[in-house]
Amino acid sequence: MHDQIPETNVVALVKKSAPAGPLRVDFSKIRRDGFQIIRGFGTDLVHLEYELSSISGGKLFYSDRIGSFVHQFRVLPYSENLSEQPTCGGYHTDFMFQARPPEFVALLCLHPDPRHPLFGRNQVVPLHAFVERLNTIFGVSETDLMTIGVDYTFTGKLPISVPILNQLDGKSILKLHTTLMADGKLSAFDNLPLKAAIEAVCGEIAENLVLDRGDLLIISNHSALHRRSECTLTFDSTCNSFRSREMATIRFDL
């Protein structure tokens, strides 16, 4: 893991509570490096939706399941929702089973982890580094990633086979979710324990990002993998409730 955030991917705003002027996003850097952090954006979700709608030309991703453009979530003591669990998430891309997943994911920190900055971090792995390292260490080629499907099995349904690299509008994009992948060796990949290999590679090359309250992280959902680290909870006896990491996300295209 890298603890240092490349300054080329960080935009520091003048005020910590609210941005000065329009949101400045360098999409060429995000597509190349996988992410950009905008410090001190603020926690106004109406403003977040407005700014992202403005820069995307209104191409916000609406989720029928959530019933909104904005998905607000927090870590809970017990949850079936992967984003709300305190354990580490899997490296993944959002909405990977759709023919056209959203190109970008914006994550806004509404409240950091109680044990911030050690817990509740985000990790991002750019596509080019992932493909190169997987080939160097395990001999898995880019052609393998584009032609061999990985099976995802769901209770009561037929397996869904999806290659890790897919073509969309003439470009390679990632489609992957290690949490949903089966453990063990895969004969299609020369009996390589592919899930373990991917997690080992990502653990070595991932950028380790620390978000404070009001920081905005924009990730490429096509040319990067992302996940969150382990989270913690504390019980606040004064209000009889748990304090935990709270986030909001909007997916969008250009």
Side-chain angles (χ1 to χ4, degrees):
M1 295 288 185
H2 306 292
D3 288 329
Q4 297 299 318
I5 301 169
E7 287 303 318
T8 54
N9 288 352
V10 178
V11 174
L13 299 175
V14 176
K15 296 181 181 180
K16 191 66 177 176
S17 58
L23 183 62
R24 293 174 296 161
V25 182
D26 190 334
F27 289 106
S28 63
K29 279 188 170 62
I30 295 174
R31 290 186 176 106
R32 184 190 68 211
D33 301 331
F35 74 96
Q36 179 183 4
I37 294 179
I38 299 171
R39 301 290 185 189
F41 176 82
T43 58
D44 186 337
L45 299 185
V46 174
H47 182 64
L48 175 66
E49 183 176 342
Y50 172 81
E51 288 289 346
L52 293 181
S53 179
S54 178
I55 64 175
S56 69
K59 296 179 182 178
L60 303 185
F61 188 84
Y62 183 86
S63 170
D64 291 324
R65 180 176 61 85
I66 298 166
S68 173
F69 293 111
V70 183
H71 177 201
Q72 189 172 344
F73 57 94
R74 61 192 294 261
V75 174
L76 301 173
Y78 304 100
S79 177
E80 294 182 358
N81 189 318
L82 295 176
S83 63
E84 296 173 353
Q85 295 177 5
T87 54
C88 288
Y91 290 98
H92 68 282
T93 54
D94 287 6
F95 295 94
M96 61 165 287
F97 297 111
Q98 296 203 5
R100 182 176 288 273
E103 186 177 2
F104 300 100
V105 178
L107 283 168
L108 180 63
C109 180
L110 303 177
H111 196 288
D113 188 274
R115 297 180 67 182
H116 170 85
L118 299 178
F119 290 88
R121 298 187 177 200
N122 292 89
Q123 282 96 32
V124 179
V125 178
L127 184 154
H128 60 85
F130 170 74
V131 172
E132 185 277 330
R133 204 67 183 139
L134 200 60
N135 179 248
T136 299
I137 298 177
F138 297 104
V140 177
S141 69
E142 187 169 353
T143 300
D144 294 334
L145 297 178
M146 295 184 67
T147 57
I148 303 175
V150 176
D151 287 343
Y152 296 87
T153 304
F154 303 92
T155 303
K157 298 181 179 179
L158 294 174
I160 301 175
S161 184
V162 182
I164 293 173
L165 284 183
N166 294 253
Q167 286 292 305
L168 182 64
D169 299 334
K171 296 180 180 179
S172 294
I173 70 167
L174 286 160
K175 286 190 176 185
L176 174 66
H177 205 312
T178 56
T179 300
L180 304 178
M181 290 176 64
D183 292 312
K185 298 179 179 180
L186 298 184
S187 58
F189 285 89
D190 292 329
N191 288 318
L192 177 71
L194 186 63
K195 178 179 178 178
I198 290 172
E199 289 176 338
V201 164
C202 290
E204 177 187 337
I205 64 177
E207 294 287 352
N208 198 19
L209 311 176
V210 179
L211 300 182
D212 207 340
R213 175 179 167 85
D215 289 344
L216 178 64
L217 170 63
I218 300 180
I219 303 166
S220 171
N221 194 46
H222 288 178
S223 60
L225 300 171
H226 64 277
R227 77 159 191 171
R228 52 167 172 73
S229 71
E230 182 179 357
C231 298
T232 62
L233 299 96
T234 58
F235 185 74
D236 189 343
S237 58
T238 59
C239 58
N240 199 34
S241 65
F242 285 95
R243 292 181 62 247
S244 64
R245 178 181 186 259
E246 297 182 29
M247 306 289 290
T249 182
I250 295 178
R251 290 93 172 181
F252 64 98
D253 290 302
L254 288 185

